Amino acid sequence: QLVESGGETVQAGGSLRLSCAASGHTYCMAWFRQAPGKEPEGVATIDTQWYNTYYADSVQGRFKISRDNAKNTLDLQMNSLKPEDTGVYICAAVTTIGCPAEPLGKAGFRIWGQGTQVTVS
């Protein structure tokens, strides 16, 4: 089970930190975001065993994904936010060892949270 928190309305240029509480161990976790009327898109992924990270080009250098294995949480630090970052941010995890071949793709992620709304005005 994955439960996200931290979403809110912020002004462009601001920062926000999202958190996802997980139950059970996962080897690969990711943040996706879904804009109204669109499919979820991968934002950032982390291999929780080797801590390799993957980012969408649109957030590279502005967002940072991190994993606290002791607390079993996944965070997303978002800086220099833009209106186009608006959407429902959803935490996802795999049920197998390692990340999918396409770490920012939806395929392979079998566990999904309900999401938390981020609005950048």
Side-chain angles (χ1 to χ4, degrees):
Q1 183 181 7
L2 302 173
V3 180
E4 304 92 338
S5 63
E8 61 182 71
T9 298
V10 295
Q11 291 188 341
S15 298
L16 202 58
R17 188 175 185 89
L18 305 181
S19 186
C20 171
S23 56
H25 183 74
T26 58
Y27 292 95
C28 183
M29 299 185 73
W31 284 99
F32 288 77
R33 70 184 175 196
Q34 186 170 21
K38 294 186 178 182
E39 287 291 311
E41 62 170 344
V43 173
T45 299
I46 185 167
D47 180 326
T48 62
Q49 186 174 15
W50 303 108
Y51 293 94
N52 296 320
T53 56
Y54 310 87
Y55 295 93
D57 290 343
S58 59
V59 306
Q60 182 75 45
R62 300 188 298 122
F63 290 12
K64 182 178 181 180
I65 189 171
S66 60
R67 164 76 173 169
D68 187 328
N69 286 334
K71 296 180 179 178
N72 214 10
T73 58
L74 178 74
D75 291 340
L76 183 68
Q77 177 66 41
M78 305 186 295
N79 299 323
S80 302
L81 283 162
K82 304 175 181 180
E84 50 264 43
D85 293 321
T86 294
V88 176
Y89 282 70
I90 308 166
C91 179
V94 303
T95 57
T96 56
I97 295 176
C99 285
E102 294 186 9
L104 295 175
K106 293 187 298 181
F109 288 93
R110 295 289 182 261
I111 307 172
W112 295 81
Q114 292 299 307
T116 185
Q117 176 70 44
V118 173
T119 302
V120 185
S121 60

